[in-house]
Amino acid sequence: MSGADAAPLRIVALADTDSYVKWAAHLLGRLGPAWSPQLTVVTTPLVVSDAQLTSALAGSGLAELAVVRSDLDAVTDRLRAAPPDVVLLAGRGPLVRLLASVVADVVPRPVIVTGLPGISIPATRKALLYRAQCDLFVVHSQRERREFAALAQEKGVPHRFALATLPFARGGASGRLAAGSCETAAAEAGTDLVFAAQAKVPALAADRRRVARALVRAAHARPDRRVVVKLRAAAGESQTHHEETGYRDLIAELGPSPANLVFSTAPMARALDTAEGLVTVSSTAAIEAIARGIPVIALDSFGISAELINEVLADADLLGSEGDVAARRFRHPAQRWREDNYFHDACVDDWEEQTAGLVAARRRGELPARQAVAVRGGSLRAAWDRKVVLGALDTSGAGRLATIIGIPVRAVVRVGQRVRNRLAGADGSQQPAASGSSVQERSTSAVRTSTTSTG
């Protein structure tokens, strides 16, 4: 850029939950000097605590002065008063759709960029639809760009995709892997088995108990070495996804814990500093570990599926059994896998270039309009969507009306879905939906449950 276009490019990220705040902070923190970044933590029912925010910012390179907290109304006022060049929407699908509609009304409209904070294979239709009003969709591997582009074309949802090295795939404080390199240095000596807990994977309580038992067995197998259960949140803190059964409780159910089994809510980077290896089902922490030369076991106890988000790790030959965990038989990914999956050469990253190009078009008055995907329900549906995102924080009359009407309707829809699932499951083609909750219990929790959907 030159002349009038030489002014610093102002980019404001809007995020709320732990994983998205971390992703946004690390993405912004690696921008060059031509950018002026700021992160606004938007108040929602799942917003990060101060401790989670500190953890998310650790090692990001983003200055603390560039981070503020704000409710949605204040965010709207600030954007209208001083429109930035770019708004990065870092949140679950429903939040992105809501924020995109807000940003779209700002004059002049900022460039709207979005993305997902970790492993995003398989590509999903919901991710595309929720983000349809965004100008640029950031992905983190050649495979992700290829699969999202193919799905967007198949579903007729036009999107423009850009590539950025996953911030957590650039190596840690110890510099075990240089950005853009495919050669992993020998991991520095560590002794901890670090388990990366996830809120929704595996989803069933019985499966999570099985993981808990495996961790206890691993601790007993090597009493001279720690098993560190790396949690996403402390008691009372929210996460991007709602966790029904936490590992603290599950392990406590098994009786007195081995002295070498400990829990940690420290930043993942700090946990990896003393790691011999990482165990997970499908956490993006696996990519962070690989970037630092730390071997991984992706538990194969529950199979391979899109729901488990572990297809990418299976392709990397990282799957291992509970016996492998106890024996600490960690493994490194196959070399053939790396270039296509998160460890491409950084020189092919183009998200900054594409974003700057869109900013240039904006300054010329040539930024094309982006429309959200039309949904049924009009203004009442819009009020419901806002209520889903903000929960009790939305005190508007429209939100109350949408709740009165929407919760019973949603309950009826879910009953219909369960009936269809049971009919489909009768011939073995699909498992029945989980039971045990009444329609009333499900309907009254509808708004809370919906706020945990990533999309």
Side-chain angles (χ1 to χ4, degrees):
M1 292 186 178
S2 61
D5 289 336
L9 306 182
R10 289 184 57 229
I11 179 169
V12 175
L14 306 180
D16 65 336
T17 65
D18 56 335
S19 57
Y20 280 102
V21 169
K22 178 179 178 181
W23 175 72
H26 284 254
L27 200 64
L28 294 184
R30 284 163 173 76
L31 287 171
W35 299 86
S36 176
Q38 183 189 65
L39 170 61
T40 297
V41 179
V42 182
T43 303
T44 71
L46 302 181
V47 69
V48 289
S49 67
D50 288 342
Q52 285 175 306
L53 179 58
T54 298
S55 178
L57 295 177
S60 69
L62 186 66
E64 289 187 17
L65 292 177
V67 182
V68 298
R69 289 183 180 269
S70 183
D71 62 33
L72 182 58
D73 290 338
V75 167
T76 303
D77 293 342
R78 190 175 295 116
L79 291 175
R80 289 173 178 168
D85 294 296
V86 183
V87 175
L88 172 65
L89 300 183
R92 299 145 296 134
L95 177 65
V96 170
R97 181 166 61 187
L98 173 62
L99 293 176
S101 68
V102 170
V103 178
D105 288 337
V106 173
V107 180
R109 178 177 76 80
V111 174
I112 307 176
V113 179
T114 191
L116 298 170
I119 294 173
S120 302
I121 296 295
T124 66
R125 178 175 174 270
K126 285 177 66 176
L128 297 174
L129 294 179
Y130 277 128
R131 295 164 176 83
Q133 205 164 3
C134 300
D135 299 292
L136 193 64
F137 194 136
V138 176
V139 294
H140 298 294
S141 75
Q142 304 276 21
R143 178 177 177 180
E144 285 185 359
R145 176 148 67 176
R146 187 170 61 250
E147 295 195 12
F148 268 101
L151 183 63
Q153 182 175 13
E154 175 190 340
K155 300 301 182 183
V157 185
H159 264 292
R160 179 172 179 168
F161 298 96
L163 187 62
T165 298
L166 189 67
F168 324 124
R170 293 180 179 268
S174 58
R176 300 185 192 180
L177 180 67
S181 171
C182 288
E183 296 183 1
T184 305
E188 296 179 359
T191 59
D192 291 343
L193 182 160
V194 177
F195 171 69
Q198 296 164 267
K200 293 183 68 176
V201 180
L204 297 179
D207 291 342
R208 297 173 75 82
R209 288 189 182 91
R210 181 173 175 178
V211 173
R213 286 193 293 270
L215 295 174
V216 171
R217 283 197 297 271
H220 284 303
R222 288 298 303 268
D224 59 323
R225 296 198 169 191
R226 296 197 310 171
V227 171
V228 179
V229 182
K230 171 63 182 72
L231 304 176
R232 298 287 298 274
E237 292 179 328
S238 298
Q239 302 180 58
T240 299
H241 300 289
H242 181 65
E243 186 174 47
E244 293 287 350
T245 49
Y247 283 101
R248 283 187 188 274
D249 293 336
L250 292 171
I251 290 174
E253 289 177 4
L254 300 176
S257 297
N260 61 325
L261 192 155
V262 300
F263 298 90
S264 172
T265 56
M268 177 58 72
R270 191 181 306 165
L272 293 177
D273 282 341
T274 55
E276 174 188 2
L278 179 99
V279 175
T280 185
V281 175
S282 61
S283 172
T284 300
I287 307 302
E288 193 168 349
I290 293 167
R292 296 177 57 165
I294 298 169
V296 172
I297 295 174
L299 270 174
D300 65 4
S301 304
F302 315 107
I304 304 169
S305 69
E307 291 73 22
L308 290 169
I309 326 172
N310 63 353
E311 295 168 331
V312 168
L313 300 181
D315 292 344
D317 296 335
L318 294 175
L319 294 187
S321 67
E322 293 162 45
D324 290 326
V325 173
R328 298 188 174 220
R329 288 190 286 264
F330 302 104
R331 63 236 26 218
H332 294 281
Q335 188 66 29
R336 59 174 170 72
W337 172 88
R338 300 175 63 91
E339 177 64 23
D340 205 34
N341 295 277
Y342 309 107
F343 295 96
H344 57 271
D345 194 308
C347 68
V348 302
D349 286 349
D350 62 353
W351 92 274
E352 289 186 50
E353 178 183 355
Q354 287 206 51
T355 303
L358 290 167
V359 170
R362 172 184 183 266
R363 292 181 175 181
R364 295 192 304 267
E366 299 173 0
L367 185 65
R370 297 281 300 181
Q371 300 298 323
V373 173
V375 294
R376 295 178 180 177
S379 59
L380 185 62
R381 174 57 185 266
W384 167 260
D385 288 344
R386 179 184 171 93
K387 189 68 175 180
V388 162
V389 171
L390 298 179
L393 298 173
D394 177 19
T395 58
S396 66
R400 288 193 294 271
L401 178 61
T403 302
I404 292 170
I405 297 174
I407 285 180
V409 170
R410 191 178 186 89
V412 171
V413 169
R414 290 191 172 194
V415 169
Q417 289 174 337
R418 291 203 299 278
V419 170
R420 288 192 296 272
N421 288 342
R422 290 191 177 108
L423 291 175
D427 63 3
S429 62
Q430 182 175 341
Q431 292 298 316
S435 60
S437 297
S438 68
V439 172
Q440 181 179 2
E441 289 170 337
R442 288 176 179 267
S443 63
T444 54
S445 64
V447 171
R448 179 186 60 80
T449 301
S450 297
T451 62
T452 67
S453 173
T454 299

